[in-house]
Amino acid sequence: MAEDAILEFLEKNEEISDSFKFAEQHGFLHEEIVNVIRSLNGFRFVDAQDIRRERWVLTEEGKTYASVGSPEFQLFSAVPPEGIAREELQKKLDPAVYKIGCQQAIKNKWVEMAKTQVSRKVHHADDKVKDSLLRIQNGEAVNQEDIDALKRRKLISQQVWKGNSVRKGPNYAPKRKRAATDLTRENLQRGDWKELEFKEYNFSAKGQPVEGGHLHPLLKVRRQIQMIFLNMGFEEMPTNNYVESSFWNFDALFQPQQHPARDSHDTFFLKVPSTTKMLPEEYVERVKQVHESGGYQSRGYGYDWKREEANKNLLRTHTTAVSSRMLCALAQKPFAPKKYYSIDRVFRNEAVDRTHLAEFHQIEGLICDRGLTLGDLIGVLHDFFARLGMSKLRFKPAYNPYTEPSMEIFSYHEGLKKWVEVGNSGMFRPEMLLPMGLPEDVRVIAWGLSLERPTMILYGIDNIRDLFGPKVDIGLIKRNPICRLGL
């Protein structure tokens, strides 16, 4: 209906000068007319020009003052010629009117405010604010100075009106004939395909974007690192248990029970179930012995080892807890060399900031064989990190409760132009391995690093919360490229 009205009007007239007035005259909503004009303009039936008009309208507060007067005039009117006590004046007016009225009336020099008394300074006052508001309400002209004053007081706001002026376009016709988009069986049977006008194909148009799944950057880097381990002959450890006992997470790793890592400020302990009931008793007794009085040429820690501490359940703080289980299981069979790796989530009670989260992913590799030395560990680390694209390595002595010697691993970062720490490593202590039942000449070399740090470097992310957690941008996951390591 609106389209017919526009085309018929243009057949007899040169122009629709104002779409708003046209809509009013013909009984249409202005939005409906504008939508039709846009459609006709797209097919060049009409040429439309935008019209933009701005006008000032009263806010709700402005409408109130236009009706009853400005706060300063209300306050002035409430002050009798002989004056009035401030408390009495305050009772006569609304609190908001009193507060604003005092400020503006003093500014206009209409009243004098003493400590207890309010008196008039002029005999008569004109409410110019109300007059200006009424003139704006009636569509009359108001000078710019008054408009600026009303705008500052938020008594008026600007209303923008958009419309169109319309003329005939190059494809104008009194009636728009809809172009067919499909040739149907019915068209062929009726024979009306001869009279049909078909819509032209747009060969430059892009198709709908494919809505498929997208791998997270962490998963891409994880897969590449997994392939590096597999190419080096490692097999994956089962890491599906996020909940561990303190025994496997700490005690089996020769970590003393008074170690700070066992504090609730560093570790998440479970309330339900709070303890475990399944521990290998013979092995537990050997671990207790080595903690209390040593053995295997070690003096131990010399304290009273408590079973209740070992029984406490927690969210594992490192995947080395899985390594301790795997090595203990390996010791129960005739010895055979093994290479194990894992990449999975660990949990630590840390303050969250741009580089730390309470949960993250740990990468761990270990090799168990006879006669391994520190030189073997350094050689394996050079091979592993070279496959990650880190060929320049340095090592710094460090301390870990369950490895001796221990080394921090540093790599030269070409982008930052400095050495950065990329991991930790060491040889598992005899106090950890021999109570399991492994042969005395068996050594275990191991190393670990986080998954998040190399991922952040590869994808140029400087805040870990943008990579992992509830603040991750889904667009980042869709746009990120394939991970390329230095394989």
Side-chain angles (χ1 to χ4, degrees), residues 61-181:
E61 189 178 3
K63 291 176 183 177
T64 302
Y65 298 161
S67 174
V68 300
S70 64
E72 55 266 37
F73 188 78
Q74 292 183 55
L75 184 136
F76 179 80
S77 302
V79 177
E82 65 276 12
I84 188 173
R86 291 186 71 155
E87 290 184 4
E88 290 298 319
L89 179 62
Q90 202 165 353
K91 291 176 183 177
K92 292 174 70 175
L93 299 171
D94 181 88
V97 171
Y98 176 79
K99 181 180 178 182
I100 299 170
C102 285
Q103 295 171 352
Q104 295 298 328
I106 293 171
K107 183 179 177 181
N108 294 342
K109 298 181 180 179
W110 289 354
V111 297
E112 183 175 353
M113 306 284 290
K115 283 188 178 180
T116 59
Q117 192 77 5
V118 181
S119 57
R120 292 186 177 186
K121 294 182 72 175
V122 295
H123 297 293
H124 175 74
D126 293 325
D127 194 355
K128 292 183 178 180
V129 171
K130 179 179 179 180
D131 293 341
S132 298
L133 290 171
L134 289 172
R135 280 159 56 197
I136 290 172
Q137 196 172 45
N138 296 329
E140 299 174 16
V142 178
N143 65 57
Q144 190 60 42
E145 186 179 346
D146 291 338
I147 284 177
D148 291 340
L150 295 173
K151 187 168 65 169
R152 281 194 299 272
R153 293 179 65 173
K154 298 183 180 179
L155 303 180
I156 59 173
S157 62
Q158 196 172 53
Q159 187 180 70
V160 178
W161 176 89
K162 294 179 181 180
N164 299 100
S165 64
V166 185
R167 287 178 173 270
K168 293 177 182 177
N171 298 334
Y172 172 78
K175 191 83 174 173
R176 173 155 63 155
K177 194 174 182 181
R178 301 279 177 178
T181 57

Side-chain angles (χ1 to χ4, degrees), residues 251 255-258 262 291-293 301-306:
D251 295 275
Q255 195 158 327
Q257 293 186 339
Q258 67 269 27
R262 297 200 184 208
H291 275 251
E292 289 184 339
S293 54
Y301 290 113
Y303 70 97
D304 291 331
W305 186 87
K306 295 182 175 60

